[in-house]
């Protein structure tokens, strides 16, 4: 019984998570740590009533549905508080300065042997991930060959012993980044015991970076959803720890539930609430998308490997001063739309999307699937590649694999436009891929040709046509065309009181024009 009493003495009230990553503190010990992962209240009846539960809350919701403004405001505030509670979570990584030993398992054979890459390139990307974290630096990087990446200690006995001597012999090292997608809890426990420092895998590092860069509520909820499998995998380990203390398998407070069962229930409830909150936001996104469709604004989704220059390219194409590219991984987690004009003065929306990564954990992609829905509804996809990167072919393969995983319409996937960026860093570069276009978003090189190709592709994808229409100057036809189409040229014929107007117009708009102004 004492673990639960200790948890309630601690209060279990979670602080709200800031939108940045400053102020990360140490995780609470024991059962408090286990319960705080799931939200306030704990397993007792008081915990269930807090945050908008119970009969009074149900009455307020009913009055809010009946149109009572005061209760509607109260209901909205409760929902806001509950969503903030869902975003409360433990720190994934220790606070303060960390001097990291980067350990890369170089798989020599078997299905896990990487293709299209080399160990030094993988180490360079892992180093970039570490340097994205404030106060973190790589003080030593070690490539260790292995034929047994799935074994408990990852490496063979001899290599593991030498690696252990290296880590324990370095007084600088405060933690280890093992460059694998996920470690099992048993592997993590064994490695930390052998090396004497905390060990983190790729999933934990990337998830923390996602936390830091999530700005909107939707992005923060998506990151919280991605953390659920990690929390679930930790339950068994926490239960084993409590069993040794004598509290893990006991029934608590006469509820008929063990401590592990309480944790599992709270985690499931949290997952359901997060999914409901994301579904509400998805419906709002759907309404915004329908509004854009009614305005008939063509949409161009810009995708690519993380830090390939997508945001820089969008800024160059739109001139939007609000777009601020940063030379970091995963700076874009929220889909943002930016208006720009093509040479024909057709207005389009460029949609900036989350960057992809090789070995990006599937749970993260699945959590951001709702955000990436905008890609499926685009008229054109532009795939931006960093051709100055030594692993540009592997990066291309990773992006295309992720796009295929989104189950996009075949015509959209078949018309992807490939843009080779950062050609200013490769002397004498010329694309060998058919249809690819070389640009430097930073220097503006190749942008005019890119805009011309975008225009042709958008007109094909949206069914827009270039027409010359004879209109009467005295009527409302010309003003209607300026409002509903893109006017290219107006050739006035004074003696006829008319004008020949060259426009780019969609089939739907042309149908409306003919209905309003019959010939």
């Amino acid at each position: 019984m004492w673990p639960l009493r200790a948890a309630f003495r601690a209060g279990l009230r979670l602080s709200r998570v800031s939108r940045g990553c400053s102020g990360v503190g140490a995780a609470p010990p024991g059962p408090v740590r286990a319960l705080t992962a799931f939200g306030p209240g704990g397993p007792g009846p008081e915990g269930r009533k807090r945050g908008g539960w119970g009969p009074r809350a149900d009455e307020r919701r009913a009055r809010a549905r009946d149109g009572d403004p005061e209760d509607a405001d109260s209901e909205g505030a409760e929902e806001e508080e509950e969503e903030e509670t869902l975003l409360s979570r433990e720190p994934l990584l220790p606070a303060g300065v960390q001097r990291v030993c980067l350990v890369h398992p170089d798989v020599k054979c078997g299905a896990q042997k990487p293709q299209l890459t080399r160990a030094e390139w993988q180490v360079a990307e892992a180093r970039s991930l570490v340097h994205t974290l404030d106060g973190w630096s790589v003080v030593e990087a070690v490539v260790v060959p292995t034929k047994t990446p799935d074994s408990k200690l990852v490496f063979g006995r001899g290599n593991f012993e030498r690696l252990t001597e290296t880590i324990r012999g370095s007084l600088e090292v405060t933690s280890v980044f093992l460059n694998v997608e996920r470690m099992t809890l048993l592997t993590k426990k064994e490695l930390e015991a052998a090396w004497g420092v905390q060990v983190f895998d790729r999933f934990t590092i990337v998830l923390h970076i996602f936390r830091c860069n999530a700005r909107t509520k939707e992005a923060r909820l998506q990151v919280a959803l991605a953390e659920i499998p990690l929390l679930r995998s930790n339950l068994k380990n926490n239960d084993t720890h409590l069993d040794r203390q004598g509290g893990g398998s006991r029934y608590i407070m006469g509820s008929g539930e063990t401590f592990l069962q309480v944790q599992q229930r709270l985690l499931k409830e949290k997952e359901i609430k997060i999914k409901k909150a994301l579904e509400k936001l998805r419906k709002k996104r759907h309404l915004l998308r329908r509004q854009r469709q009614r305005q008939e604004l063509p949409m161009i989704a810009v995708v690519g490997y993380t830090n390939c220059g997508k945001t820089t390219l969008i800024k160059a194409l739109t001139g939007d001063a609000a777009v601020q590219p940063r030379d970091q991984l995963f700076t874009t987690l929220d889909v943002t739309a930016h208006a720009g004009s093509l040479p024909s003065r057709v207005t389009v929306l460029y949609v900036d999307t989350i960057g992809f990564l090789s070995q990006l954990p599937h749970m993260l992609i699945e959590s951001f699937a709702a955000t990436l829905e905008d890609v499926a509804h685009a008229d054109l996809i532009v795939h931006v590649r960093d051709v100055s990167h030594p692993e540009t072919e592997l990066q291309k393969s990773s992006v295309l694999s992720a796009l295929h995983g989104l189950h996009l319409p075949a015509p959209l996937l078949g018309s992807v436009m490939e843009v080779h960026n950062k050609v200013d860093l490769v002397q004498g570069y010329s694309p060998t891929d058919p249809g690819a276009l070389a640009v430097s978003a930073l220097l503006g090189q190749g942008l005019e040709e890119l805009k011309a190709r975008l225009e042709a592709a958008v007109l094909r994808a949206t069914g827009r046509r270039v027409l010359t229409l004879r209109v009467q100057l005295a009527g409302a036809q010309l003003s209607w065309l300026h409002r509903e189409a893109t006017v290219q040229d107006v050739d006035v014929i004074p003696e006829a009181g008319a004008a020949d107007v060259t426009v780019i117009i969609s089939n739907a708009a042309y149908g409306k024009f003919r209905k309003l102004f019959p010939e």
Side-chain angles (χ1 to χ4, degrees):
M1 185 68 69
W2 73 265
L4 186 65
R5 286 200 300 267
F8 277 112
R9 282 198 300 270
L12 298 179
R13 174 62 71 179
L14 295 177
S15 61
R16 294 192 177 187
V17 176
S18 65
R19 293 180 183 259
C21 281
S22 58
V24 175
V32 182
R33 178 178 174 184
L35 283 170
T36 53
F38 312 124
E46 289 302 315
R48 294 193 182 186
K49 289 180 183 177
R50 195 172 295 167
W53 293 87
R56 290 186 179 178
D58 292 337
E59 290 174 11
R60 285 194 298 271
R61 289 189 179 97
R63 289 199 301 271
R65 285 193 296 269
D66 291 338
D68 189 325
E70 183 177 345
D71 287 300
D73 292 342
S74 176
E75 173 68 13
E78 286 180 358
E79 289 183 359
E80 182 76 20
E81 182 179 354
E82 187 172 343
E83 287 177 1
E84 286 294 337
T85 300
L86 294 175
L87 295 170
S88 302
R89 54 266 177 106
E90 294 181 52
L92 291 169
L93 301 176
V97 173
Q98 288 292 317
R99 297 180 295 278
V100 179
C101 176
L102 171 56
V103 178
H104 175 74
D106 188 14
V107 182
K108 291 300 184 182
C109 58
Q112 295 189 44
K113 179 178 172 62
Q115 306 295 323
L116 302 174
T117 186
R118 297 207 299 259
E120 58 265 35
W121 296 342
Q122 292 177 291
V123 169
E125 182 172 273
R127 190 187 296 269
S128 297
L129 286 171
V130 173
H131 289 163
T132 302
L133 303 171
D134 289 338
W136 287 53
S137 61
V138 176
V139 295
E140 190 163 357
V142 186
V143 177
V144 183
T146 180
K147 296 179 181 178
T148 57
D150 292 325
S151 65
K152 182 171 65 174
L153 297 178
V154 182
F155 307 100
R157 181 175 178 180
N159 283 337
F160 181 75
E161 289 177 351
R162 286 189 289 272
L163 179 59
T164 301
E165 290 177 6
T166 299
I167 294 171
R168 283 198 170 270
S170 175
L171 299 178
E172 280 190 300
V173 173
T174 59
S175 59
V176 172
F177 174 23
L178 184 65
N179 193 27
V180 297
E181 182 175 326
R182 283 293 301 273
M183 284 185 296
T184 65
L185 288 171
L186 180 59
T187 295
K188 178 178 174 66
K189 178 182 174 182
E190 293 286 341
L191 295 181
E192 290 181 344
W195 296 341
V197 294
Q198 288 184 284
V199 182
F200 305 104
D201 56 23
R202 194 178 182 90
F203 176 78
T204 307
I205 297 290
V206 172
L207 187 58
H208 185 79
I209 295 171
F210 273 38
R211 273 191 184 185
C212 293
N213 291 337
R215 298 292 183 264
T216 65
K217 183 186 296 182
E218 184 173 20
R220 295 164 69 205
L221 285 168
Q222 287 167 328
V223 173
L225 182 62
E227 292 177 18
I228 296 293
L230 181 64
L231 294 172
R232 187 169 284 128
S233 68
N234 288 338
L235 286 179
K236 186 177 180 180
N237 185 56
N238 288 338
D239 186 56
T240 303
H241 171 71
L242 290 173
D243 274 339
R244 287 197 296 268
Q245 296 180 339
S249 59
R250 295 183 181 179
Y251 293 95
I252 53 178
M253 288 190 69
S255 65
E257 293 179 294
T258 65
F259 199 86
L260 175 61
Q261 289 170 335
V262 169
Q263 291 177 305
Q264 290 172 332
R265 173 172 57 77
L266 292 174
L267 180 58
K268 185 64 178 177
E269 289 174 0
K270 177 175 180 176
E271 182 178 24
I272 291 171
K273 290 176 185 178
I274 290 174
K275 287 181 177 179
K276 285 183 178 178
L278 282 171
E279 179 62 20
K280 287 181 182 178
L281 293 173
R282 189 193 68 81
K283 289 178 179 178
K284 290 180 181 178
R285 181 183 292 278
H286 179 67
L287 289 175
L288 292 173
R289 191 185 301 126
R290 288 185 62 185
Q291 290 175 3
R292 289 201 301 262
Q293 290 171 345
R294 282 197 294 268
Q295 294 173 352
E296 295 189 333
L297 291 177
M299 190 163 70
I300 300 174
V302 183
V303 304
Y305 205 80
T306 184
N307 210 31
C308 68
K310 302 187 310 298
T311 306
T312 304
L313 180 62
I314 289 174
K315 182 172 184 176
L317 290 171
T318 63
D320 189 347
V323 180
Q324 295 298 328
R326 287 186 291 165
D327 187 18
Q328 286 184 347
L329 304 183
F330 300 116
T331 54
T332 302
L333 287 188
D334 303 290
V335 170
T336 56
H338 308 271
S341 295
L342 297 177
S344 60
R345 298 193 293 279
V346 170
T347 300
V348 296
L349 288 178
Y350 294 98
V351 178
D352 197 0
T353 61
I354 179 177
F356 297 104
L357 185 74
S358 65
Q359 299 179 31
L360 186 64
H362 297 297
M363 287 171 286
L364 288 175
I365 287 292
E366 289 170 3
S367 298
F368 281 79
T371 299
L372 292 170
E373 278 183 1
D374 282 318
V375 177
H377 293 275
D379 298 297
L380 177 68
I381 296 176
V382 173
H383 175 196
V384 182
R385 292 178 55 189
D386 176 5
V387 293
S388 70
H389 197 283
E391 289 196 287
T392 183
E393 290 298 328
L394 176 64
Q395 291 181 352
K396 174 182 177 178
S397 176
S398 297
V399 172
L400 294 181
S401 175
L403 290 177
H404 280 90
L406 296 175
H407 307 293
L408 302 174
L412 180 63
L413 201 55
S415 62
V416 174
M417 181 181 296
E418 193 168 294
V419 175
H420 293 186
N421 192 26
K422 304 187 183 182
V423 295
D424 53 301
L425 302 178
V426 185
Q427 188 173 6
Y429 180 81
S430 179
T432 57
D433 300 276
L437 180 64
V439 305
S440 169
L442 189 62
L443 302 182
Q445 178 180 338
L447 294 187
E448 294 307 314
E449 184 179 355
L450 173 59
K451 288 180 180 179
R453 289 200 190 181
L454 289 173
E455 179 171 279
V458 165
L459 293 182
R460 283 196 305 271
T462 60
R464 281 170 165 76
R465 294 183 287 171
V466 180
L467 299 176
T468 300
L469 303 173
R470 175 70 60 91
V471 301
Q472 296 299 314
L473 294 175
Q477 294 169 299
L478 184 57
S479 61
W480 190 95
L481 288 173
H482 274 290
R483 186 172 62 254
E484 301 293 337
T486 303
V487 175
Q488 301 290 292
D489 184 54
V490 179
D491 184 15
V492 178
I493 308 171
E495 61 275 15
D500 288 334
V501 183
T502 303
V503 295
I504 296 178
I505 191 168
S506 68
N507 290 331
Y510 182 64
K512 291 178 184 177
F513 178 80
R514 282 302 171 211
K515 186 175 180 179
L516 289 171
F517 310 106
E519 290 182 300

